[in-house]
Amino acid sequence: MDHSQHQMLAEFSYGLAFMTGVLGSGHCLGMCGGLVSGFFMKLGAKNFTPYLAYHLTRVGVYALIGLIAAGLGTVLVQTGAFGQLQGLLQIVAGLVVILLGLDLLGVSPIRNTLRFAPLAWLRRQFVAATQRGPLLGAMIGGAINGLMPCSMTMAMAVKATTAPSLLEGGLLMLAFGAGTLPSMLSASFLFGKLGVKTRGWLLKGAALFVIALGVSTLWQGVRYYTVMQRLIG
């Protein structure tokens, strides 16, 4: 794959990740809007700074997850036959991302049980963060929010394992996080304004972008594996 093809595929993936974040944030408002609003009420935020710190930290955690995921993918690839294993990793990642997208639509044969950390621990830390002061508490809360169970976030992390470099893995998750910023930054006063039906349609749209990302990853993996198999054979 030459540089121009790689650049085109990277931009395509960033665009899909960003649109997943944009559309998925409607679902986030339904799932996390009340949680975030209640958090800031207990935190006693007096201005916009804690809100900004919360969500920038949350997006920063997404980027860190992308870096770690890309690093894990690199380690897995370097433990065996580089070319073929890289193709296999993309195929597996593509299938997992597709399943996570189907899970968002509610039609997956396998329900998502993947977690970045134990849910009970995350909840305790989230509640405790309100006692740490407006700015530090907001940053801790944002970091915990970034680790909360979510099929969309997990799908982006799985996709990041196939990134050619740590930087590109981080940028993929950063693009996803940036897409969620407009709605989530205004969650405190938008919560409840979007009806269940509207959030449902937005979630379906986000799920379709996740599935498209999975299909793209799967196709890249099959193509790469086939080419490397011919070269090795």
Side-chain angles (χ1 to χ4, degrees), residues 70-153:
L72 289 174
T74 300
V75 169
L76 286 172
V77 167
Q78 290 178 346
T79 58
F82 182 84
Q84 287 184 310
L85 194 58
Q86 185 176 28
L88 285 173
L89 176 62
Q90 288 184 315
I91 291 170
V92 172
L95 290 172
V96 172
V97 172
I98 291 170
L99 284 173
L100 288 168
L102 292 173
D103 181 60
L104 287 169
L105 288 174
V107 296
S108 175
I110 302 173
R111 304 302 296 175
N112 174 36
T113 58
L114 299 173
R115 301 285 186 272
F116 292 119
L119 185 57
W121 180 83
L122 290 172
R123 285 173 174 165
R124 287 198 302 270
Q125 300 308 311
F126 193 74
V127 172
T130 59
Q131 308 301 317
R132 303 299 294 274
L135 188 58
L136 179 59
M139 293 176 68
I140 294 172
I144 296 300
N145 193 168
L147 296 172
M148 290 287 187
C150 173
S151 289
M152 283 181 293
T153 308

Coordinates of all heavy atoms in Angstrom, one line a residue, residues 70-153:
A70 N -3.1 1.0 20.1 CA -2.2 0.9 19.0 C -0.9 0.2 19.4 O -0.3 -0.6 18.6 CB -1.9 2.3 18.4
G71 N -0.4 0.5 20.6 CA 0.8 -0.2 21.1 C 0.6 -1.7 21.3 O 1.5 -2.4 20.9
L72 N -0.6 -2.1 21.8 CA -0.9 -3.5 22.0 C -0.9 -4.2 20.6 O -0.4 -5.3 20.4 CB -2.2 -3.7 22.7 CG -2.2 -3.3 24.2 CD1 -3.6 -3.4 24.7 CD2 -1.3 -4.3 25.0
G73 N -1.5 -3.5 19.6 CA -1.6 -4.1 18.3 C -0.2 -4.3 17.7 O 0.1 -5.3 17.1
T74 N 0.7 -3.3 17.9 CA 2.0 -3.4 17.4 C 2.8 -4.5 18.0 O 3.5 -5.3 17.4 CB 2.8 -2.1 17.7 OG1 2.1 -1.0 17.0 CG2 4.2 -2.1 17.2
V75 N 2.6 -4.7 19.4 CA 3.3 -5.8 20.1 C 2.8 -7.2 19.5 O 3.6 -8.1 19.3 CB 3.0 -5.7 21.6 CG1 3.4 -7.0 22.3 CG2 3.7 -4.5 22.2
L76 N 1.5 -7.3 19.3 CA 0.9 -8.5 18.8 C 1.5 -8.9 17.4 O 1.8 -10.0 17.1 CB -0.6 -8.4 18.7 CG -1.4 -8.5 20.1 CD1 -2.8 -8.2 19.8 CD2 -1.2 -9.9 20.7
V77 N 1.6 -7.8 16.6 CA 2.1 -8.1 15.2 C 3.5 -8.5 15.2 O 3.9 -9.3 14.5 CB 1.9 -6.8 14.4 CG1 2.6 -6.9 13.1 CG2 0.4 -6.6 14.1
Q78 N 4.3 -7.9 16.1 CA 5.8 -8.1 16.1 C 6.1 -9.4 16.8 O 7.3 -9.8 16.8 CB 6.5 -6.9 16.8 CG 6.4 -5.7 16.0 CD 7.1 -4.5 16.7 OE1 7.4 -4.6 17.9 NE2 7.4 -3.4 16.0
T79 N 5.2 -10.1 17.3 CA 5.5 -11.4 17.9 C 5.5 -12.6 16.9 O 5.8 -13.7 17.3 CB 4.5 -11.8 19.1 OG1 3.2 -11.8 18.5 CG2 4.6 -10.8 20.2
G80 N 5.0 -12.3 15.7 CA 5.0 -13.4 14.7 C 5.3 -12.9 13.3 O 6.0 -11.9 13.2
A81 N 4.8 -13.7 12.3 CA 5.1 -13.3 11.0 C 4.4 -11.9 10.7 O 3.2 -11.9 10.6 CB 4.6 -14.4 10.0
F82 N 5.2 -10.9 10.5 CA 4.7 -9.5 10.6 C 3.5 -9.3 9.6 O 2.4 -8.9 10.0 CB 5.8 -8.5 10.3 CG 5.4 -7.1 10.3 CD1 5.4 -6.4 11.5 CD2 5.0 -6.4 9.2 CE1 4.9 -5.1 11.6 CE2 4.6 -5.1 9.2 CZ 4.6 -4.5 10.5
G83 N 3.7 -9.5 8.4 CA 2.7 -9.2 7.4 C 1.4 -9.9 7.6 O 0.3 -9.3 7.6
Q84 N 1.4 -11.3 7.6 CA 0.2 -12.1 7.8 C -0.5 -11.8 9.1 O -1.7 -11.7 9.1 CB 0.6 -13.6 7.6 CG 0.9 -14.0 6.2 CD 1.1 -15.5 6.1 OE1 1.9 -16.1 6.9 NE2 0.5 -16.1 5.2
L85 N 0.3 -11.6 10.2 CA -0.4 -11.4 11.5 C -1.0 -10.0 11.5 O -2.1 -9.9 12.1 CB 0.7 -11.5 12.6 CG 0.1 -11.6 14.0 CD1 -0.8 -12.8 14.1 CD2 1.2 -11.7 15.0
Q86 N -0.5 -9.1 10.8 CA -1.1 -7.7 10.8 C -2.4 -7.8 10.0 O -3.4 -7.2 10.5 CB -0.2 -6.7 10.0 CG -0.7 -5.3 10.1 CD 0.3 -4.3 9.4 OE1 1.1 -4.7 8.6 NE2 0.2 -3.1 9.9
G87 N -2.5 -8.6 8.9 CA -3.7 -8.8 8.2 C -4.7 -9.5 9.1 O -5.9 -9.1 9.1
L88 N -4.3 -10.5 9.8 CA -5.2 -11.3 10.7 C -5.8 -10.4 11.8 O -7.0 -10.5 12.1 CB -4.5 -12.5 11.3 CG -4.3 -13.7 10.3 CD1 -3.4 -14.7 11.0 CD2 -5.6 -14.3 9.9
L89 N -4.9 -9.5 12.4 CA -5.4 -8.6 13.4 C -6.4 -7.7 12.9 O -7.4 -7.4 13.6 CB -4.2 -7.8 13.9 CG -4.5 -6.7 15.0 CD1 -5.1 -7.4 16.2 CD2 -3.2 -5.9 15.3
Q90 N -6.2 -7.2 11.7 CA -7.2 -6.3 11.1 C -8.6 -7.0 10.8 O -9.6 -6.4 11.0 CB -6.7 -5.7 9.8 CG -5.6 -4.6 10.0 CD -5.2 -4.0 8.7 OE1 -5.0 -4.7 7.7 NE2 -5.0 -2.7 8.7
I91 N -8.5 -8.3 10.4 CA -9.7 -9.0 10.1 C -10.5 -9.3 11.4 O -11.7 -9.0 11.5 CB -9.3 -10.4 9.5 CG1 -8.8 -10.2 8.1 CG2 -10.5 -11.3 9.5 CD1 -8.2 -11.4 7.4
V92 N -9.7 -9.7 12.5 CA -10.4 -9.9 13.8 C -11.0 -8.6 14.3 O -12.1 -8.6 14.8 CB -9.4 -10.5 14.8 CG1 -10.0 -10.6 16.2 CG2 -9.0 -11.9 14.3
A93 N -10.2 -7.5 14.3 CA -10.6 -6.2 14.8 C -11.9 -5.8 14.0 O -12.8 -5.3 14.6 CB -9.5 -5.2 14.7
G94 N -11.9 -6.0 12.7 CA -13.0 -5.6 11.9 C -14.3 -6.3 12.3 O -15.3 -5.7 12.4
L95 N -14.1 -7.6 12.5 CA -15.3 -8.4 12.9 C -15.8 -8.0 14.3 O -17.0 -7.9 14.5 CB -14.9 -9.9 13.0 CG -14.7 -10.6 11.6 CD1 -14.1 -12.0 11.8 CD2 -15.9 -10.7 10.8
V96 N -14.9 -7.7 15.2 CA -15.3 -7.2 16.6 C -16.0 -5.9 16.5 O -17.1 -5.7 17.1 CB -14.1 -7.2 17.5 CG1 -14.5 -6.5 18.8 CG2 -13.5 -8.5 17.8
V97 N -15.5 -5.0 15.7 CA -16.1 -3.7 15.5 C -17.5 -3.8 14.9 O -18.4 -3.1 15.3 CB -15.2 -2.7 14.7 CG1 -15.9 -1.4 14.3 CG2 -13.9 -2.4 15.4
I98 N -17.6 -4.7 13.9 CA -19.0 -4.9 13.3 C -19.9 -5.4 14.4 O -21.1 -5.0 14.4 CB -18.9 -5.9 12.1 CG1 -18.1 -5.2 10.9 CG2 -20.2 -6.3 11.7 CD1 -17.8 -6.2 9.8
L99 N -19.5 -6.4 15.2 CA -20.4 -6.9 16.2 C -20.8 -5.8 17.2 O -21.9 -5.8 17.7 CB -19.6 -8.1 16.9 CG -19.6 -9.4 16.2 CD1 -18.7 -10.4 16.9 CD2 -21.0 -10.0 16.0
L100 N -19.8 -4.9 17.6 CA -20.1 -3.9 18.5 C -21.1 -2.9 17.9 O -22.0 -2.4 18.6 CB -18.9 -3.1 18.9 CG -17.9 -3.9 19.8 CD1 -16.6 -3.2 19.9 CD2 -18.5 -4.0 21.2
G101 N -21.0 -2.7 16.6 CA -22.0 -1.8 15.9 C -23.4 -2.5 15.9 O -24.4 -1.8 16.1
L102 N -23.4 -3.8 15.6 CA -24.7 -4.5 15.7 C -25.3 -4.5 17.1 O -26.5 -4.4 17.3 CB -24.5 -5.9 15.2 CG -24.1 -6.1 13.7 CD1 -23.8 -7.6 13.4 CD2 -25.3 -5.6 12.8
D103 N -24.4 -4.5 18.1 CA -24.8 -4.4 19.5 C -25.5 -3.1 19.7 O -26.5 -3.0 20.4 CB -23.6 -4.6 20.4 CG -24.0 -4.6 21.9 OD1 -24.9 -5.4 22.3 OD2 -23.6 -3.7 22.6
L104 N -25.0 -2.0 19.2 CA -25.6 -0.7 19.3 C -27.0 -0.7 18.7 O -27.9 0.0 19.2 CB -24.7 0.4 18.7 CG -23.4 0.7 19.4 CD1 -22.5 1.6 18.6 CD2 -23.8 1.4 20.8
L105 N -27.2 -1.4 17.6 CA -28.5 -1.5 16.9 C -29.4 -2.5 17.7 O -30.6 -2.6 17.4 CB -28.3 -2.0 15.5 CG -27.7 -1.0 14.5 CD1 -27.4 -1.7 13.2 CD2 -28.6 0.2 14.3
G106 N -28.8 -3.3 18.6 CA -29.7 -4.2 19.3 C -29.9 -5.5 18.6 O -30.8 -6.3 18.9
V107 N -29.1 -5.8 17.6 CA -29.3 -7.0 16.8 C -28.1 -7.9 16.8 O -28.0 -8.9 16.0 CB -29.7 -6.7 15.3 CG1 -31.0 -5.9 15.3 CG2 -28.6 -5.8 14.6
S108 N -27.1 -7.7 17.6 CA -25.9 -8.5 17.7 C -26.2 -9.9 18.3 O -26.9 -9.9 19.4 CB -24.8 -7.8 18.4 OG -23.7 -8.7 18.6
P109 N -25.7 -11.0 17.8 CA -25.9 -12.3 18.4 C -25.1 -12.4 19.7 O -25.3 -13.3 20.6 CB -25.3 -13.3 17.4 CG -24.4 -12.5 16.6 CD -24.9 -11.1 16.5
I110 N -24.1 -11.5 19.9 CA -23.3 -11.5 21.1 C -23.4 -10.1 21.8 O -23.1 -9.1 21.1 CB -21.8 -11.8 20.7 CG1 -21.7 -13.1 20.0 CG2 -20.9 -11.7 22.0 CD1 -20.3 -13.4 19.5
R111 N -23.8 -10.0 23.0 CA -23.9 -8.8 23.7 C -22.5 -8.3 24.2 O -21.7 -9.1 24.6 CB -24.8 -8.9 24.9 CG -26.2 -9.4 24.6 CD -26.9 -8.5 23.6 NE -27.1 -7.2 24.1 CZ -27.6 -6.2 23.4 NH1 -27.9 -6.3 22.1 NH2 -27.8 -5.0 23.9
N112 N -22.3 -7.0 24.2 CA -21.0 -6.4 24.6 C -20.9 -6.5 26.2 O -21.6 -6.0 26.9 CB -20.9 -5.0 24.2 CG -19.7 -4.3 24.7 OD1 -18.6 -5.0 24.8 ND2 -19.7 -3.0 25.1
T113 N -19.8 -7.2 26.6 CA -19.5 -7.3 28.0 C -18.1 -6.7 28.3 O -17.5 -6.9 29.4 CB -19.6 -8.7 28.6 OG1 -18.7 -9.6 27.8 CG2 -21.0 -9.2 28.4
L114 N -17.5 -6.1 27.3 CA -16.1 -5.6 27.4 C -16.1 -4.4 28.3 O -17.0 -3.5 28.2 CB -15.6 -5.3 26.0 CG -15.5 -6.4 25.0 CD1 -15.0 -5.9 23.7 CD2 -14.5 -7.5 25.5
R115 N -15.1 -4.2 29.2 CA -15.0 -3.1 30.1 C -13.5 -2.7 30.1 O -12.6 -3.5 30.0 CB -15.4 -3.5 31.5 CG -16.8 -4.0 31.6 CD -17.8 -2.8 31.5 NE -19.2 -3.3 31.8 CZ -20.0 -3.7 30.8 NH1 -19.6 -3.8 29.6 NH2 -21.2 -4.1 31.1
F116 N -13.3 -1.4 30.3 CA -11.9 -0.9 30.5 C -11.5 -1.1 32.0 O -10.3 -1.2 32.3 CB -11.8 0.6 30.2 CG -12.0 0.9 28.7 CD1 -13.0 1.7 28.3 CD2 -11.1 0.4 27.8 CE1 -13.2 1.9 26.9 CE2 -11.2 0.6 26.4 CZ -12.3 1.4 26.0
A117 N -12.5 -1.1 32.9 CA -12.2 -1.2 34.3 C -13.5 -1.7 35.0 O -14.6 -1.6 34.4 CB -11.8 0.1 34.9
P118 N -13.4 -2.3 36.2 CA -14.7 -2.8 36.9 C -15.6 -1.6 37.1 O -15.3 -0.5 37.5 CB -14.1 -3.3 38.2 CG -12.7 -3.7 37.9 CD -12.2 -2.7 36.9
L119 N -16.9 -1.8 36.7 CA -17.9 -0.8 36.8 C -18.1 -0.3 38.2 O -18.3 1.0 38.4 CB -19.2 -1.3 36.2 CG -20.4 -0.3 36.0 CD1 -19.9 0.9 35.2 CD2 -21.6 -0.9 35.4
A120 N -18.2 -1.1 39.2 CA -18.4 -0.7 40.5 C -17.3 0.3 41.0 O -17.6 1.3 41.7 CB -18.5 -1.9 41.5
W121 N -16.1 0.0 40.6 CA -14.9 0.8 41.0 C -15.1 2.2 40.3 O -14.8 3.2 40.9 CB -13.6 0.1 40.6 CG -12.4 1.0 40.9 CD1 -11.8 1.0 42.1 CD2 -11.7 1.9 40.0 NE1 -10.7 1.9 42.0 CE2 -10.6 2.4 40.8 CE3 -11.9 2.2 38.7 CZ2 -9.7 3.3 40.2 CZ3 -11.0 3.1 38.1 CH2 -9.9 3.7 38.9
L122 N -15.4 2.2 39.0 CA -15.6 3.4 38.3 C -16.7 4.3 38.9 O -16.5 5.5 39.1 CB -16.0 3.1 36.8 CG -14.9 2.5 35.9 CD1 -15.5 2.1 34.6 CD2 -13.7 3.5 35.7
R123 N -17.8 3.7 39.4 CA -18.8 4.4 40.0 C -18.4 5.1 41.3 O -18.7 6.2 41.6 CB -20.0 3.5 40.2 CG -20.8 3.2 39.0 CD -21.9 2.2 39.2 NE -22.8 2.0 38.1 CZ -23.6 0.9 37.9 NH1 -23.7 0.0 38.9 NH2 -24.3 0.8 36.8
R124 N -17.6 4.3 42.1 CA -17.1 4.8 43.4 C -16.2 6.0 43.2 O -16.3 7.1 43.8 CB -16.4 3.7 44.2 CG -17.3 2.7 44.8 CD -16.6 1.9 45.9 NE -15.4 1.3 45.4 CZ -15.3 0.1 44.8 NH1 -16.4 -0.7 44.7 NH2 -14.2 -0.4 44.4
Q125 N -15.3 5.9 42.2 CA -14.4 7.0 41.9 C -15.1 8.2 41.4 O -14.7 9.3 41.6 CB -13.3 6.5 40.9 CG -12.5 5.3 41.4 CD -11.9 5.6 42.8 OE1 -11.3 6.6 43.0 NE2 -12.0 4.6 43.7
F126 N -16.1 8.0 40.6 CA -16.9 9.1 40.0 C -17.6 9.9 41.1 O -17.5 11.1 41.1 CB -17.9 8.5 39.0 CG -18.5 9.6 38.1 CD1 -17.8 10.2 37.1 CD2 -19.8 10.0 38.3 CE1 -18.3 11.1 36.2 CE2 -20.4 10.9 37.4 CZ -19.6 11.5 36.4
V127 N -18.2 9.2 42.0 CA -18.9 9.9 43.1 C -17.8 10.6 44.0 O -18.1 11.8 44.4 CB -19.7 8.9 43.9 CG1 -20.2 9.6 45.2 CG2 -20.8 8.3 43.1
A128 N -16.7 10.0 44.3 CA -15.7 10.5 45.2 C -15.1 11.8 44.5 O -14.6 12.7 45.3 CB -14.6 9.5 45.5
A129 N -15.1 11.9 43.2 CA -14.4 13.0 42.5 C -15.1 14.3 42.9 O -14.5 15.4 42.9 CB -14.4 12.8 41.0
T130 N -16.4 14.3 43.2 CA -17.1 15.5 43.5 C -16.6 16.2 44.8 O -16.9 17.4 45.1 CB -18.6 15.3 43.7 OG1 -18.8 14.3 44.7 CG2 -19.2 14.7 42.4
Q131 N -15.8 15.5 45.6 CA -15.3 16.0 46.9 C -13.9 16.5 46.7 O -13.3 16.9 47.7 CB -15.3 14.9 47.9 CG -16.6 14.2 48.1 CD -17.7 15.1 48.5 OE1 -17.5 16.0 49.4 NE2 -18.9 14.9 47.9
R132 N -13.4 16.6 45.5 CA -12.0 16.9 45.2 C -11.8 18.4 44.7 O -10.7 18.8 44.3 CB -11.3 16.0 44.2 CG -11.4 14.5 44.6 CD -10.6 14.3 45.9 NE -9.2 14.5 45.8 CZ -8.3 13.6 45.4 NH1 -8.8 12.4 45.0 NH2 -7.1 13.9 45.3
G133 N -12.9 19.1 44.8 CA -12.8 20.5 44.3 C -13.2 20.7 42.9 O -13.2 19.7 42.1
P134 N -13.7 21.9 42.5 CA -14.3 22.1 41.2 C -13.4 21.7 40.0 O -13.8 21.0 39.1 CB -14.6 23.6 41.1 CG -14.7 24.0 42.6 CD -13.7 23.1 43.3
L135 N -12.1 22.1 40.0 CA -11.2 21.8 38.8 C -10.7 20.4 38.9 O -10.8 19.7 37.9 CB -10.1 22.9 38.8 CG -9.2 22.8 37.5 CD1 -10.1 23.0 36.3 CD2 -8.1 23.9 37.6
L136 N -10.0 20.0 40.0 CA -9.4 18.7 40.1 C -10.5 17.6 40.0 O -10.4 16.6 39.3 CB -8.6 18.6 41.4 CG -8.0 17.2 41.6 CD1 -7.0 16.8 40.5 CD2 -7.3 17.2 42.9
G137 N -11.6 17.9 40.7 CA -12.8 17.0 40.7 C -13.3 16.8 39.3 O -13.7 15.6 38.9
A138 N -13.4 17.9 38.5 CA -13.9 17.8 37.2 C -13.0 17.0 36.3 O -13.4 16.2 35.5 CB -14.1 19.2 36.6
M139 N -11.7 17.1 36.5 CA -10.7 16.4 35.7 C -10.8 14.9 36.0 O -10.7 14.1 35.1 CB -9.3 17.0 35.9 CG -9.1 18.4 35.4 SD -7.5 19.1 35.8 CE -6.5 18.0 34.7
I140 N -10.9 14.6 37.3 CA -11.0 13.2 37.7 C -12.3 12.6 37.2 O -12.3 11.5 36.6 CB -10.9 13.0 39.2 CG1 -9.5 13.5 39.7 CG2 -11.2 11.6 39.7 CD1 -9.4 13.5 41.3
G141 N -13.4 13.3 37.3 CA -14.7 12.8 36.8 C -14.6 12.6 35.3 O -15.2 11.6 34.8
G142 N -14.0 13.5 34.6 CA -13.9 13.4 33.1 C -13.1 12.1 32.7 O -13.4 11.4 31.8
A143 N -12.0 11.9 33.5 CA -11.2 10.7 33.2 C -12.0 9.4 33.5 O -11.9 8.5 32.7 CB -9.9 10.7 34.1
I144 N -12.7 9.4 34.6 CA -13.6 8.2 34.9 C -14.6 8.0 33.8 O -14.9 6.9 33.4 CB -14.2 8.4 36.3 CG1 -13.1 8.4 37.4 CG2 -15.2 7.2 36.5 CD1 -12.3 7.2 37.4
N145 N -15.2 9.1 33.4 CA -16.3 9.1 32.3 C -15.7 8.5 31.0 O -16.4 7.7 30.3 CB -16.8 10.5 32.0 CG -18.1 10.5 31.2 OD1 -18.7 11.5 31.1 ND2 -18.4 9.3 30.6
G146 N -14.4 8.8 30.7 CA -13.8 8.2 29.5 C -13.6 6.7 29.6 O -13.4 6.1 28.6
L147 N -13.6 6.2 30.8 CA -13.4 4.7 31.0 C -14.8 4.0 31.2 O -14.8 2.7 31.3 CB -12.5 4.5 32.2 CG -11.1 5.0 32.1 CD1 -10.4 4.8 33.5 CD2 -10.3 4.2 31.0
M148 N -15.9 4.7 31.2 CA -17.2 4.1 31.4 C -17.5 3.1 30.2 O -17.1 3.3 29.1 CB -18.3 5.1 31.5 CG -18.3 6.0 32.7 SD -18.8 5.1 34.2 CE -18.9 6.4 35.4
P149 N -18.2 2.0 30.5 CA -18.6 1.0 29.5 C -19.4 1.7 28.4 O -20.4 2.3 28.7 CB -19.4 0.0 30.2 CG -19.3 0.3 31.7 CD -18.8 1.6 31.8
C150 N -19.0 1.5 27.1 CA -19.7 2.0 26.0 C -19.3 1.3 24.7 O -18.0 1.2 24.5 CB -19.4 3.5 25.9 SG -20.0 4.3 24.4
S151 N -20.2 0.7 24.0 CA -19.9 -0.1 22.8 C -19.2 0.8 21.8 O -18.3 0.3 21.0 CB -21.1 -0.7 22.2 OG -21.6 -1.7 23.1
M152 N -19.6 2.1 21.7 CA -18.9 3.0 20.7 C -17.5 3.2 21.0 O -16.6 3.1 20.2 CB -19.7 4.3 20.6 CG -21.0 4.2 19.9 SD -21.8 5.8 19.8 CE -22.2 6.1 21.5
T153 N -17.2 3.5 22.3 CA -15.8 3.7 22.7 C -15.0 2.5 22.5 O -13.8 2.5 22.0 CB -15.8 4.2 24.2 OG1 -16.6 5.3 24.4 CG2 -14.3 4.6 24.6

